[in-house]
Amino acid sequence: MKKKMNSAAILVILCLLGIGYLIPTVIMAVEDRSLQMEKKAIEIDEIQLSSQNVDTIEMLGFFPDMLMNYIVVDVGEGIQEDYMESVQSGSNEMEQNNSTSLQKNVQEFLLMLNAKEEIVFEKFYATNYAMMVEVNDDRVCSVWECVGVDAGENEYIFWVYDGTGKVMAFDVPYNVIGYMDEGFYSAMDRVMEYYEISDYGFPAYQYIDTQTNLYKTKYWQNGLLLLDKEGYEKLCIHIYKTGDRLLFNNYPGTVSISDGS
């Protein structure tokens, strides 16, 4: 009899212990379920990039660094046309219009550099990029990288600022401007007219150095100094010859954006 009573007592104790462990578990499960059903509104600060227009002279000033360092994102698959073949019938009409406009824009600029004969592109590529002005500057500029290829497979690269449609930098075969020193200086005079620098308060400009034998010298650098009305330098636009290439407002070693991404 005593054995039965002891067994019953042990059973009661075990049941109480089980209930003691079970109750917190049930309470936690109910609380978890309640939390799962609860909806909370969480506010997230909106992050927005500011796409802004920048005037031509300011853009010329910071463009080489922007081109070298601060690509944000490729904002489109780009445009490609091969003028040796017919354009595909499925091409987007807007892309064709953009391509035609950009191709015309850069070919007119190229003709201005040469001022003698038009160079016809057999192939033309254009890609649009959003690019940050500086690391701590939230302004973003839309830039087109345009690459033209002539019948001799020579490549011509132009970077066009979408805000103004102006060419901000280029990398072209040097022989575009001819083989005489006068050809270079005349071309740069026309480029300054193209940027209408007098409208921005720069009545004069001068070169860092006066150079000779430009075509025969494989590597050199120069710069155009833009002067204000008091004759103080406000901007220097760098120019380089590297081998058989003429670079304007972009550093040597700056490759095509698409090649470097």
Side-chain angles (χ1 to χ4, degrees):
M1 184 70 178
K2 192 173 180 180
K3 260 186 181 182
K4 289 183 178 180
M5 290 179 64
N6 288 338
S7 298
I10 292 171
L11 183 61
V12 170
I13 292 171
L14 291 174
C15 289
L16 290 174
L17 287 172
I19 293 171
Y21 283 113
L22 183 62
I23 289 174
T25 302
V26 172
I27 293 173
M28 289 178 63
V30 171
E31 289 179 348
D32 289 344
R33 180 63 177 171
S34 176
L35 288 172
Q36 289 177 1
M37 297 298 292
E38 184 178 351
K39 294 182 179 179
K40 291 185 178 180
I42 301 174
E43 293 187 4
I44 300 175
D45 293 334
E46 183 179 357
I47 300 174
Q48 187 172 14
L49 297 174
S50 175
S51 180
Q52 299 181 9
N53 283 342
V54 181
D55 71 47
T56 298
I57 299 301
E58 184 183 4
M59 188 71 165
L60 282 171
F62 58 66
F63 192 80
D65 290 326
M66 185 176 74
L67 186 63
M68 177 70 78
N69 299 315
Y70 306 125
I71 298 173
V72 180
V73 63
D74 175 354
V75 295
E77 293 183 358
I79 303 163
Q80 173 178 341
E81 287 192 14
D82 187 335
Y83 292 101
M84 292 163 43
E85 300 176 2
S86 59
V87 179
Q88 294 181 0
S89 59
S91 296
N92 183 279
E93 183 177 352
M94 182 177 293
E95 287 189 352
Q96 289 189 45
N97 291 337
N98 280 337
S99 177
T100 301
S101 176
L102 286 164
Q103 191 250 354
K104 180 181 178 182
N105 188 2
V106 298
Q107 291 221 219
E108 287 177 351
F109 184 89
L110 190 57
L111 181 60
M112 178 202 67
L113 279 180
N114 184 283
K116 292 180 181 178
E117 59 179 299
E118 183 176 5
I119 297 171
V120 178
F121 296 144
E122 297 290 335
K123 299 177 184 178
F124 182 77
Y125 311 86
T127 307
N128 188 218
Y129 294 88
M131 305 174 68
M132 290 180 64
V133 172
E134 291 179 332
V135 171
N136 297 318
D137 192 326
D138 64 354
R139 288 179 298 172
V140 174
C141 299
S142 174
V143 175
W144 286 95
E145 180 185 74
C146 303
V147 181
V149 181
D150 66 17
E153 295 298 314
N154 299 301
E155 191 173 73
Y156 306 75
I157 307 174
F158 302 86
W159 289 273
V160 179
Y161 174 39
D162 194 45
T164 61
K166 293 281 189 181
V167 173
M168 291 289 109
F170 59 81
D171 178 348
V172 299
Y174 189 89
N175 59 16
V176 165
I177 59 172
Y179 308 99
M180 307 297 290
D181 294 346
E182 292 79 5
F184 166 77
Y185 290 111
S186 296
M188 292 303 104
D189 288 343
R190 291 191 294 273
V191 169
M192 288 297 97
E193 292 176 5
Y194 170 81
Y195 292 124
E196 301 174 318
I197 62 169
S198 60
D199 291 350
Y200 294 91
F202 300 102
Y205 62 90
Q206 66 185 38
Y207 293 91
I208 293 177
D209 298 307
T210 301
Q211 298 169 303
T212 58
N213 296 321
L214 296 174
Y215 179 76
K216 294 179 181 179
T217 305
K218 196 166 186 179
Y219 300 99
W220 52 255
Q221 70 179 70
N222 208 326
L224 284 165
L225 303 176
L226 273 61
L227 309 176
D228 63 15
K229 294 179 181 179
E230 286 72 39
Y232 292 105
E233 176 191 335
K234 291 299 181 181
L235 178 63
C236 178
I237 303 174
H238 293 283
I239 310 163
Y240 303 89
K241 181 175 185 285
T242 61
D244 62 353
R245 307 289 298 183
L246 175 66
L247 282 63
F248 179 89
N249 207 33
N250 59 309
Y251 302 128
T254 301
V255 297
S256 163
I257 300 174
S258 54
D259 290 343
S261 60

